[in-house]
């Protein structure tokens, strides 16, 4: 513990030295720099002070005490620029709170804050602008109010009032937050926790030609960069991101071997039991899903037999009698459907807040627990015994062990709201802690408690799984641990660790957030100083302003490291990288897309690829020069609705086949791209075991596609999802990690950008990129998938 504290102190000291050196370099070692860091300017002084009546007095008397150090270090012109600038901050969570504090104490007086999230109790340990009484309130509202109180007041004759304006909404809402809105700001700061919003802000800033300071943290690692179109820097989407791990359905349903398999199964069971649409769960069984599962099993069995020199002509083994083959209805499906009905999940209760289980209704309570007991018995006993009887696990290292009847009996004896500890669910006991490991009986009691909570809730059906929802995490933790006990999978997870896996969470470090936010504000100073130089050049006052206004000359891409470099630094700055010539966002490169054109519909293409993967907001899709789909203002959606269910090959203008080119435009983001399509009808994937064999891909058709690669000729290319790190950072994980939360991203790799304006079919024209660089961009960062902060 002492060593860990000492290392943290050393890291903080190194960080302060680096930031000091950066500021000194920025200001050419102003003679008053020491006062900024060590002098009286940082002493605790009252906000209010008496102005000097002598007009000849030193100008420092008209500057608030908290800003005198900044004025001495940065100069009066830049301080004035800070006071008058308009800043947009997107996100007010871990990094956002630190940023708002830094902005306020640095003198920024006009800040807009956008955030969709509300305050959760898990935020309180590091997002220091929030208190327990704020739980449930919008983050941006509380954070803006707190930051506004920190802004040093100006003398009364100069003070026009600071304004920190919160917007509790989604930055992807084009009706509010669009290009004209972003153009009203001097610069934009990102403190986001998801990839969709990051892509949105990146594209808005490129279209509005407004500098963006992007940042992210992951544990001890972090990074800060500046994105500016006019300075010809790399944009957020210039480098590929790794795709999310996809687990085969049959592994999740039948042969789990890791804790994450059990947690994925539990999340799907949550959808099955409580979700708005039971068919959204991969555990839901209808004829189509059963056929798909049986086909996958047959393919696997056939491959195993062929490898052993046996015939694979479809003959079933002796142990698989009729009615016992994979693909038959499970023993729990009908019971779960009945339980949903009893809990009121499937009831149409719009506008009706009537609960299924009212307080004091013991008969209904017993009915719910009885039905829950039947369902849990089917899930963790009957179904397991059935699979064992089919010899499914005869080659497994560990044969599953059904949950005992004594443990299941706890479902009917549970009490809630107080009583003896052994009868209460573990989360209601006096000695409860999130790090405790639950026994099988504890898990049964917790699941029973969850079913009672749902029955007593007026909100039906429940929303989608959310790691910050208490009941959802209790259910997932208990269900996944029971499955781990059945399949003898170690280690068993506490609620705390299960929450980390369920949300792909890396624990957040508050000091990393603080360091990164400080670096962002330093970049703000660089940007505003460059904008001052540009203004001076326009006024004819400074012949050297053009070079200094290029942010690539003044700003840096800075990595925050866990381990110090050979020179002893924890922060490593690098030159802002050039744009990737193959980036379809800032360089209009061509994208390669591989899918089954005979099975995919236009609706699937829009939802899964164009909107989710490529991040288009209001797309216009053109095939052969003709519009087949269009969104946006004054567009009637019914005009192109007839094309949505059509297969791609059956679309107008000859359809989409192998080698076809689709043009996608989005004028809300000033973005357009050409997509070269390759057809592929047979998809393979690695087998579940470690044999290295391949089997038929059993995922849904909508998940079978590849993005990236060269322009197709005759054979479809395969996406290369292994992003590289910057050469001089390859040995350090900071180059590979970013963000409070990233999801799925694509890979782009193709030709150079176009140089001429392109006219669309509706008469609009896009401006060509004014600056281009044919040099191959270095791969600088690769984002992690779904990284979220946790206390």
């Amino acid at each position: 513990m002492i060593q860990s504290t000492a290392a943290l102190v050393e890291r903080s000291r190194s960080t302060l030295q680096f930031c000091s050196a950066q500021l000194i370099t920025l200001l050419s070692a102003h003679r008053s720099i020491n006062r900024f860091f060590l002098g009286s300017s940082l002493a605790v002084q009252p906000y209010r002070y008496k102005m000097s009546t002598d007009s000849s007095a030193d100008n420092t008397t008209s500057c608030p005490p908290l800003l005198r150090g900044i004025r001495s270090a940065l100069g009066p012109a830049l301080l004035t620029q800070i006071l008058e600038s308009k800043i947009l901050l997107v996100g007010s969570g871990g990094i956002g709170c630190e940023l708002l504090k830094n902005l306020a104490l640095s003198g920024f007086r006009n800040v807009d804050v956008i955030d969709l999230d509300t305050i959760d109790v898990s935020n309180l340990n590091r997002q220091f602008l929030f208190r327990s009484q704020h739980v449930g309130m919008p983050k941006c509202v509380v954070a803006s109010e707190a930051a506004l109180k920190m802004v040093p007041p100006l003398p009364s004759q100069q003070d026009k009032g600071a304004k920190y304006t919160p917007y509790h909404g989604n930055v992807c809402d084009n009706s509010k937050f669009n290009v004209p809105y972003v153009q009203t700001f001097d610069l934009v700061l990102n403190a986001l926790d998801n990839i969709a919003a990051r892509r949105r802000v990146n594209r808005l800033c490129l279209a509005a030609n407004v500098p963006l300071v992007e940042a992210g943290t992951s544990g001890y690692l972090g990074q800060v960069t500046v994105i500016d179109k006019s300075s010809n820097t790399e944009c957020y989407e210039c480098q590929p991101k790794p795709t999310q791990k996809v687990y085969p359905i049959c592994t999740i349903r039948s042969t789990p071997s890791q804790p994450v398999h059990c947690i994925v199964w539990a999340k799907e069971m949550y959808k099955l039991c409580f979700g708005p649409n039971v068919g959204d769960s991969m555990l839901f069984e209808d004829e189509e899903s059963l056929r798909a599962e049986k086909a996958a099993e047959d393919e696997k069995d056939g491959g195993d037999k062929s490898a052993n020199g046996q015939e694979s002509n479809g003959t079933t083994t002796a142990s698989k009698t009729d009615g016992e083959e994979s693909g038959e209805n499970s023993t729990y499906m009908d019971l779960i459907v009945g339980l949903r009905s009893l809990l009121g999940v499937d009831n149409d209760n719009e506008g009706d807040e009537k609960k299924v289980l009212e307080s004091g209704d013991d008969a209904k309570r017993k009915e719910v627990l009885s039905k829950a007991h039947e369902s849990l018995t089917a899930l963790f006993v009957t179904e397991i015994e059935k699979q064992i009887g089919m010899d499914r696990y005869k080659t497994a290292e560990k044969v599953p062990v059904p949950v005992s009847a004594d443990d299941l009996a706890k479902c009917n004896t549970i009490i809630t709201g107080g009583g003896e500890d052994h009868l209460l669910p573990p989360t209601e006991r006096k000695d409860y802690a999130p790090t405790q490991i639950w026994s099988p009986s504890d898990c049964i009691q917790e699941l029973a408690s969850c079913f009672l909570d749902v029955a007593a809730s007026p909100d039906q059906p429940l929303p989608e799984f959310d790691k910050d929802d208490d009941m959802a995490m209790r259910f997932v933790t208990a269900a996944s641990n029971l499955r781990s006990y059945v399949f003898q999978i170690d280690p068993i997870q506490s609620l705390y660790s299960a929450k980390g896996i369920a949300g792909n969470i890396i624990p957040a470090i508050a000091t990393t957030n603080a360091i990164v936010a400080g670096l962002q504000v330093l970049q703000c100073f660089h940007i505003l100083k460059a904008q001052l130089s540009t203004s001076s050049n326009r006024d004819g006052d400074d012949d050297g302003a053009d070079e200094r206004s290029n942010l690539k000359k003044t700003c840096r891409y800075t990595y925050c490291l866990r381990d110090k470099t050979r020179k002893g630094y924890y922060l490593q700055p690098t030159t802002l990288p050039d744009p990737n010539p193959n980036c379809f966002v800032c360089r209009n490169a061509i994208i390669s897309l591989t899918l089954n054109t005979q099975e995919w519909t236009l609706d699937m293409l829009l939802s899964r690829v164009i909107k989710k993967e490529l991040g288009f907001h209001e797309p216009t899709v053109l095939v052969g020069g003709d519009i087949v789909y269009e969104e946006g203002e004054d567009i009637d959606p019914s005009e192109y609705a007839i094309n949505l269910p059509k297969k791609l090959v059956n679309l107008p203008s000859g359809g989409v086949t192998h080698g076809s080119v689709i043009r996608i435009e989005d004028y809300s983001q000033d973005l357009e791209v050409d997509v070269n399509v390759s057809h592929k009808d047979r998809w393979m994937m690695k087998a579940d075991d470690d044999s290295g064999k391949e089997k038929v891909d059993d995922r849904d058709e909508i998940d079978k596609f590849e993005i990236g690669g060269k322009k197709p000729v005759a054979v479809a290319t395969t996406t290369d999802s292994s992003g590289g790190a910057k050469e001089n950072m390859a040995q350090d994980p900071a180059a590979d990690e970013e963000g409070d939360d990233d999801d799925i991203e694509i890979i782009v790799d193709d030709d150079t950008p176009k140089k001429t304006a392109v006219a669309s079919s509706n008469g609009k024209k896009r401006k060509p990129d004014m600056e281009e660089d044919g040099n191959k961009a270095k791969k600088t960062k690769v984002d992690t998938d779904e990284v979220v902060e946790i206390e």
Side-chain angles (χ1 to χ4, degrees):
M1 181 66 182
I2 295 176
Q3 292 178 345
S4 176
T5 304
L8 185 59
V9 170
E10 182 184 358
R11 183 170 182 256
S12 301
R13 184 184 298 113
S14 174
T15 300
L16 180 60
Q17 291 172 349
F18 173 85
C19 294
S20 303
Q22 286 285 295
L23 197 55
I24 291 171
T25 302
L26 170 68
L27 301 164
S28 301
H30 191 280
R31 64 178 181 171
S32 301
I33 193 71
N34 287 333
R35 285 201 302 158
F36 176 71
F37 290 103
L38 305 174
S40 60
S41 61
L42 291 185
V44 178
Q45 302 182 38
Y47 274 161
R48 296 296 178 185
Y49 48 91
K50 181 177 288 188
M51 287 289 299
S52 172
T53 57
D54 184 1
S55 59
S56 63
D58 187 359
N59 285 337
T60 57
T61 58
S62 62
C63 182
L66 283 174
L67 298 182
R68 289 176 187 171
I70 292 180
R71 184 185 185 282
S72 298
L74 304 181
L78 188 51
L79 177 58
T80 301
Q81 181 82 345
I82 290 172
L83 295 174
E84 297 178 352
S85 63
K86 187 176 182 182
I87 307 297
L88 173 61
L89 170 61
V90 188
S92 54
I95 297 177
C97 282
E98 297 284 352
L99 265 176
L100 278 169
K101 175 258 296 179
N102 292 345
L103 291 172
L105 296 179
S106 298
F108 290 92
R109 304 176 63 78
N110 193 351
V111 180
D112 281 12
V113 185
I114 303 173
D115 198 304
L116 181 64
D117 205 2
T118 56
I119 299 168
D120 183 78
V121 67
S122 63
N123 303 142
L124 301 181
N125 71 326
R126 67 193 181 283
Q127 298 176 19
F128 61 93
L129 298 182
F130 309 140
R131 300 292 182 267
S132 57
Q133 66 267 27
H134 298 141
V135 171
M137 298 175 63
K139 286 185 176 181
C140 59
V141 174
V142 177
S144 296
E145 291 176 354
L148 190 59
K149 297 176 182 178
M150 301 180 187
V151 179
L154 298 177
S156 57
Q157 64 268 34
Q158 300 178 16
D159 197 348
K160 298 179 182 178
K163 186 169 65 172
Y164 278 59
T165 308
Y167 292 94
H168 184 222
N170 192 337
V171 73
C172 297
D173 183 356
N174 193 59
S175 64
K176 297 179 181 178
F177 313 118
N178 44 35
V179 174
Y181 172 76
V182 174
Q183 287 174 331
T184 63
F185 297 93
D186 294 293
L187 59 90
V188 179
L189 294 164
N190 254 1
L192 286 164
D193 62 356
N194 71 86
I195 197 169
R198 275 190 168 123
R199 291 192 303 192
R200 170 69 174 171
V201 175
N202 174 63
R203 297 177 187 189
L204 285 175
C205 290
L206 290 174
N209 199 17
V210 174
L212 168 65
V213 184
E214 171 67 57
T217 62
S218 175
Y220 288 100
L221 308 177
Q223 56 192 39
V224 176
T225 188
V226 174
I227 298 168
D228 183 44
K229 183 177 182 180
S230 61
S231 300
N232 200 37
T233 64
E234 177 185 79
C235 82
Y236 174 72
E237 297 176 72
C238 274
Q239 297 301 332
K241 283 79 177 173
T243 56
Q244 219 174 12
K245 176 66 176 177
V246 177
Y247 298 101
I249 293 176
C250 52
T251 298
I252 301 303
R253 288 173 62 102
S254 306
T255 56
S257 58
Q258 303 173 29
V260 66
H261 295 161
C262 298
I263 290 176
V264 172
W265 179 88
K267 290 171 69 174
E268 294 300 321
M269 184 56 64
Y270 178 86
K271 292 182 190 177
L272 190 69
C273 292
F274 311 126
N277 184 2
V278 67
D280 290 342
S281 171
M282 72 164 63
L283 302 180
F284 175 70
E285 295 170 345
D286 55 11
E287 291 184 3
E288 183 178 350
S289 63
L290 291 172
R291 283 198 303 268
E293 183 182 1
K294 187 173 188 307
E297 289 295 324
D298 288 345
E299 181 72 23
K300 180 178 179 180
D301 292 343
D304 292 342
K305 289 181 181 181
S306 297
N308 294 326
Q310 300 176 11
E311 295 182 1
S312 56
N313 57 5
T315 304
T316 58
T317 61
S319 61
K320 285 190 177 181
T321 60
D322 292 340
E324 291 182 325
E325 295 176 326
S326 176
E328 177 188 296
N329 274 322
S330 64
T331 58
Y332 60 80
M333 191 63 223
D334 291 340
L335 291 170
I336 293 294
V337 171
L339 181 60
R340 282 176 60 94
S341 178
L342 177 61
L343 297 176
V345 177
D346 292 326
N347 297 343
D348 186 8
N349 290 333
E350 292 187 7
D352 183 7
E353 294 190 357
K354 183 179 179 181
K355 304 174 184 178
V356 172
L357 178 60
E358 298 289 346
S359 178
D361 190 348
D362 291 337
K364 179 62 71 173
R365 184 179 185 277
K366 290 180 180 179
E367 184 182 1
V368 170
L369 291 178
S370 176
K371 197 70 174 179
H373 180 270
E374 291 179 11
S375 300
L376 294 176
T377 301
L379 278 168
F380 297 107
V381 178
T382 313
E383 183 67 20
I384 301 301
E385 291 175 344
K386 170 188 170 183
Q387 300 295 333
I388 293 174
M390 294 166 54
D391 285 342
R392 180 185 289 274
Y393 306 110
K394 63 181 179 181
T395 59
E397 293 183 6
K398 298 178 180 178
V399 177
V401 180
V403 176
S404 70
D406 289 341
D407 289 332
L408 284 166
K410 297 287 187 179
C411 182
N412 291 320
T413 60
I414 183 176
I415 61 174
T416 56
E420 298 182 33
D421 262 10
H422 71 280
L423 297 176
L424 291 170
T427 53
E428 293 187 22
R429 296 172 187 169
K430 296 176 182 178
D431 62 346
Y432 166 69
T435 54
Q436 289 175 345
I437 301 299
W438 298 343
S439 67
S441 61
D442 290 338
C443 295
I444 292 292
Q445 289 175 301
E446 197 63 56
L447 287 174
S449 175
C450 291
F451 288 126
L452 291 175
D453 287 351
V454 174
S457 172
D459 302 321
Q460 299 286 2
L462 299 184
E464 292 185 1
F465 172 81
D466 182 351
K467 65 177 179 58
D468 292 321
D469 181 85
D470 177 66
M471 195 285 291
M473 272 313 307
R474 286 160 44 211
F475 181 91
V476 167
T477 303
S480 63
N481 279 347
L482 272 179
R483 194 158 175 84
S484 293
Y485 280 120
V486 167
F487 286 90
Q488 304 178 62
I489 298 172
D490 292 323
I492 302 299
Q493 305 296 314
S494 66
L495 189 145
Y496 178 86
S497 58
K499 186 174 184 179
I501 299 174
N504 291 350
I505 297 167
I506 293 177
I509 308 296
T511 51
T512 310
N513 290 340
I515 292 169
V516 164
L519 292 172
Q520 281 186 280
V521 174
L522 283 178
Q523 297 304 315
C524 288
F525 294 157
H526 283 295
I527 293 170
L528 293 177
K529 190 170 190 294
Q531 291 175 349
L532 266 179
S533 299
T534 303
S535 177
S536 299
N537 188 42
R538 283 199 300 264
D539 297 336
D541 298 335
D542 190 348
D543 294 335
D546 278 342
E547 182 175 350
R548 292 199 301 274
S549 64
N550 188 333
L551 300 186
K552 194 176 289 187
K553 303 289 185 181
T554 58
C555 297
R556 292 292 180 266
Y557 193 129
T558 306
Y559 295 95
C560 180
L561 312 177
R562 177 167 186 160
D563 301 311
K564 57 187 177 183
T565 64
R566 288 175 295 178
K567 294 184 178 180
Y569 298 138
Y570 285 95
L571 297 177
Q572 182 158 344
T574 63
T575 303
L576 292 178
D578 295 330
N580 185 341
N582 299 315
C583 177
F584 80 94
V585 175
C586 65
R587 282 297 177 263
N588 297 107
I590 300 175
I591 296 176
S592 174
L593 172 64
T594 304
L595 46 71
N596 190 336
T597 58
Q598 296 177 354
E599 295 295 332
W600 276 65
T601 64
L602 178 60
D603 189 37
M604 293 166 63
L605 181 69
L606 278 167
S607 62
R608 187 67 177 88
V609 176
I610 295 177
K611 291 187 175 182
K612 183 174 182 180
E613 291 295 328
L614 301 184
F616 282 80
H617 186 71
E618 295 178 349
T620 297
V621 182
L622 298 92
V623 176
D626 294 329
I627 297 178
V628 297
Y629 183 80
E630 189 171 17
E631 289 185 17
E633 292 185 27
D634 304 323
I635 300 297
D636 184 5
S638 62
E639 183 177 354
Y640 299 101
I642 191 174
N643 289 330
L644 291 176
K646 290 183 179 179
K647 305 292 186 184
L648 295 183
V649 293
N650 297 327
L651 288 174
S653 301
V656 178
T657 58
H658 183 74
S660 295
V661 177
I662 302 174
R663 165 151 291 193
I664 308 170
E665 301 173 347
D666 187 343
Y667 289 100
S668 70
Q669 301 181 119
D670 192 29
L671 181 65
E672 66 180 12
V673 65
D674 286 336
V675 179
N676 283 293
V677 179
S678 294
H679 172 76
K680 184 177 180 180
D681 54 13
R682 181 173 174 80
W683 295 79
M684 304 297 292
M685 65 189 303
K686 289 184 178 180
D688 302 334
D689 51 31
D690 298 328
S691 63
K693 301 175 185 176
E694 289 189 337
K695 65 173 185 177
V696 174
D697 192 338
D698 60 357
R699 292 177 297 167
D700 294 336
E701 190 64 42
I702 199 170
D703 293 321
K704 299 176 185 176
F705 67 94
E706 294 171 349
I707 300 179
K710 298 294 183 181
K711 185 175 179 179
V713 180
V715 181
T717 57
T718 303
T719 300
D720 175 17
S721 61
S722 58
K726 199 177 180 70
E727 291 178 358
N728 62 346
M729 297 294 295
Q731 77 281 7
D732 190 87
D736 297 327
E737 307 250 6
E738 190 218 336
D740 291 331
D741 175 36
D742 280 346
D743 196 345
I744 302 174
E745 191 49 281
I746 63 166
I747 296 173
V748 180
D749 183 14
D750 202 43
D751 302 331
T752 55
K754 299 181 177 68
K755 295 183 179 181
T756 58
V758 180
S760 71
S761 58
N762 55 14
K764 297 180 181 178
K765 284 192 175 183
R766 180 178 313 287
K767 294 180 181 179
D769 290 324
M770 300 306 295
E771 294 183 293
E772 297 176 356
D773 195 332
N775 296 328
K776 184 174 180 61
K778 294 181 180 179
K779 294 182 178 180
T780 310
K781 62 179 181 295
V782 178
D783 297 308
T784 60
D785 52 327
E786 272 198 303
V787 178
V788 185
E789 294 182 344
I790 188 174
E791 73 278 11

